[in-house]
Every structure is written in C-alpha cells, then in structure tokens.
C-alpha cells in the first residue's frame, strides 16, 4: 500500500475528508517556497501538490501561469524543485505529489526521475498532459518504485476513456471540476459531482476534486460527494500579493479564513 493510500485510509478512519493544497515550487523563490510548503504541512494539509514551473502551462489559468513565470525567473527548474522536496522531507512526512507537464519530465528522464523521487520521498507524480499508452508506460515506471501516478479526469472525459484513465491511476484520481483551465471561481457547479459519480463506476480509488475551488462553501460542497478538495489558484494568488518577507504569514491567514481547522499556518516553522 502506498503512502497516499495510507493517508486516505487515515482520513476515512477519522471520519472526515481531505484537504490538498497546490503551490508552484520556487514561487516566489526557492527558499520562501520551501517555507510555504512546510507551513502548509503544519496546518494539517493531508497531501501537498507541488508544481514544477513550466514555460507553457496550457492547462493553467493566469494566476498559476504567473506563478510559474515568477519561479522560472528566480532560476527554479525541476532539479531545484527536487532539492526543495528533499529539504522538506527532513522536516515533514506529509505526502507530496509532484505536479508537472510531460515535457520537463521527459527531458529529465522518467527512469532517473522515478529513482530520485523514491529516494527523496516523493509519493506520487501527476502529469497533466500524459494520456493512454504514454500514461500506461509512465505508470509502470513509477509503480516499479512504489510511486503513484495521479491521473486527471474531466467532465468531457468519455466513459471509455474514464475506464482507461482509472486503470492506470493509483493513489487517487484527480477530478477536474470544469472544462477549461485552472482558476478561482465563485459559482457552484454540478459538473464535478456528476463526474465523480461516473468515475466511481470504474475505480475504488479516492477521488479529489480541484480546479476553481476557492471558498469554504465550495470545499464543503466538494466534501459532500468526493474524498478530498484541491485548492490551488486561491493560495497562489495570496503568494502573488505577498513578498518573500510575508508570504508564509499571508498564506496562513488565508487558510485560517478558508478553513478554521487549518489555522496558524507557519507558526511552527
């Protein structure tokens, strides 16, 4: 059983649902990014998604695109993110999912990446633009090192493809709440709930819902039908409004307002 699977078992045993924050590695720069990740862990985040900055993040909206650019401008690359995770693991055992596009991972080499990921304590990898046979090959490589391939599904995914995606997935399945790119939203949508119900026919894995989850009400709504809620753009927006001196404090204040049980982020760092 993988670390991520054990985490979801702990969540279920506690009679609650999961909270998964996303931030871009190296935003606004690598040292502050490490402190933000540690603060997220200190709040009680169940799993942290850490993005690899990429120059063409086509699935991401403007907020996360800008975070990628800030990280790239500060000199962050895949190796720097891996170094960050190694330092993070010295202080926290919160599961980490590396979130990336295919191109930087292919350039680095999947066999090499899987070996390093297992060594430094990465628990899963999400490749946004890997599909079908490509995803199946990546899954085999990761599974050989006891790493999970976290797979994306969307409201536009057909039942035939849902089955293929779920067959390759492990750890949990990431259900995109809407068609389009990432970004905070204010309206409530039934598309995600319908998607989760469809996916349950093809997998027993936990299902997390993300893309546009930005308010307490939206999180509570997701918890009604899914196993975890993913919050990304709303947290990244707080980092964007901050500088290296107050980013950790501001992220903590935002999380305190979002979900009181995740109060006092950063106070233990």
């Amino acid at each position: 059983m993988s670390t991520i699977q054990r985490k979801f078992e702990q969540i279920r045993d506690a009679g609650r649902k999961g909270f998964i924050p996303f931030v871009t590695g190296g935003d606004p720069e690598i040292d502050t990014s490490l402190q933000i990740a540690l603060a997220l862990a200190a709040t009680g985040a169940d799993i942290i998604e850490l993005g690899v900055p990429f120059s063409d993040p086509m699935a991401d909206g403007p907020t996360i695109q800008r975070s990628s650019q800030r990280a790239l401008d500060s000199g962050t690359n895949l190796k720097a993110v891996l170094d960050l995770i190694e330092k993070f693991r010295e202080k926290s055992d919160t599961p980490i999912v590396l979130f990336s596009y295919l191109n930087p991972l292919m350039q680095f080499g999947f066999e090499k990446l899987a070996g390093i990921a297992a060594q430094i304590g990465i628990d899963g990898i999400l490749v946004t633009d890997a599909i079908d046979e490509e995803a199946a090959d990546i899954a085999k490589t990761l599974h050989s090192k006891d790493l999970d391939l976290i797979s994306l599904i969307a409201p536009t995914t057909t039942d035939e493809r849902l089955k293929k995606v779920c067959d390759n997935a492990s750890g949990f399945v990431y259900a995109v709440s809407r068609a389009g790119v990432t970004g905070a939203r204010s309206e409530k949508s039934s598309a995600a709930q319908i998607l989760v119900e469809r996916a349950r026919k093809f997998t027993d894995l936990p299902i997390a819902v993300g893309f546009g989850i930005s308010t307490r009400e939206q999180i509570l709504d997701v918890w009604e039908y899914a196993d975890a809620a993913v919050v990304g753009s709303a947290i990244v927006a707080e980092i964007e409004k901050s500088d290296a001196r107050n980013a950790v404090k501001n992220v903590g204040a935002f999380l305190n307002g979002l979900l009181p049980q995740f109060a006092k982020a950063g106070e233990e760092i």
Side-chain angles (χ1 to χ4, degrees):
M1 180 182 293
S2 72
T3 304
I4 291 173
Q5 288 174 307
R6 285 196 296 272
K7 172 56 70 173
F8 273 103
E9 281 203 350
Q10 292 169 6
I11 292 169
R12 283 194 296 269
D13 290 346
R16 62 181 183 86
K17 299 297 181 74
F19 176 68
I20 305 175
F22 166 93
V23 289
T24 300
D27 176 34
E29 43 78 30
I30 204 73
D31 291 335
T32 303
S33 183
L34 171 60
Q35 295 307 311
I36 290 170
L38 288 168
L40 292 172
T43 69
D46 295 296
I47 297 166
I48 296 172
E49 289 185 355
L50 195 63
V52 176
F54 184 48
S55 58
D56 187 24
M58 58 186 178
D60 292 309
T63 300
I64 293 180
Q65 286 182 20
R66 291 192 297 270
S67 76
S68 263
Q69 193 58 55
R70 289 192 298 273
L72 291 170
D73 289 345
S74 73
T76 304
N77 54 20
L78 175 56
K79 184 181 183 304
V81 174
L82 295 176
D83 290 343
L84 183 159
I85 293 170
E86 187 170 19
K87 292 176 181 177
F88 172 90
R89 192 53 77 215
E90 294 172 0
K91 296 185 177 182
S92 175
D93 61 0
T94 300
I96 289 281
V97 171
L98 190 71
F99 187 109
S100 181
Y101 289 83
L102 186 59
N103 185 277
L105 304 189
M106 285 186 66
Q107 289 187 350
F108 193 84
F110 271 101
E111 292 282 354
K112 177 182 176 183
L113 176 63
I116 292 174
Q119 181 179 356
I120 67 175
I122 291 174
D123 303 284
I125 298 178
L126 191 158
V127 188
T128 58
D129 50 350
I131 60 172
D132 299 340
E133 290 80 11
E134 207 165 40
D137 289 342
I138 293 169
K140 289 178 184 176
T141 300
L142 297 182
H143 293 168
S144 71
K145 299 294 184 180
D146 296 322
L147 302 170
D148 288 320
L149 175 67
I150 312 301
S151 298
L152 286 170
I153 57 175
T156 53
T157 307
T158 65
D159 281 359
E160 180 182 3
R161 289 215 63 250
L162 268 179
K163 185 178 186 312
K164 288 182 179 179
V165 172
C166 291
D167 285 346
N168 289 327
S170 59
F172 67 93
V173 173
Y174 189 134
V176 174
S177 65
R178 62 184 181 186
V181 297
T182 60
R185 61 179 170 84
S186 57
E187 74 281 2
K188 182 177 177 180
S189 171
S190 62
Q193 182 172 356
I194 294 170
L195 175 60
V196 170
E197 291 169 354
R198 289 173 55 216
R200 300 276 192 210
K201 301 174 186 176
F202 303 106
T203 184
D204 294 326
L205 290 173
I207 300 176
V209 171
F211 276 48
I213 310 302
S214 59
T215 68
R216 183 185 309 187
E217 291 73 22
Q218 288 167 348
I219 292 172
L220 294 175
D221 177 58
V222 165
W223 281 350
E224 288 294 321
Y225 58 85
D227 301 290
V230 182
V231 178
S233 293
I235 297 172
V236 172
E238 292 299 315
I239 298 170
E240 183 172 31
K241 292 186 290 187
S242 309
D243 58 33
R245 294 169 299 175
N246 59 15
V248 175
K249 179 181 177 181
N250 289 352
V251 167
F254 172 74
L255 290 177
N256 184 28
L258 189 68
L259 291 170
Q261 60 264 47
F262 299 119
K264 300 181 181 179
E267 288 190 4
E268 298 178 25
I269 305 305

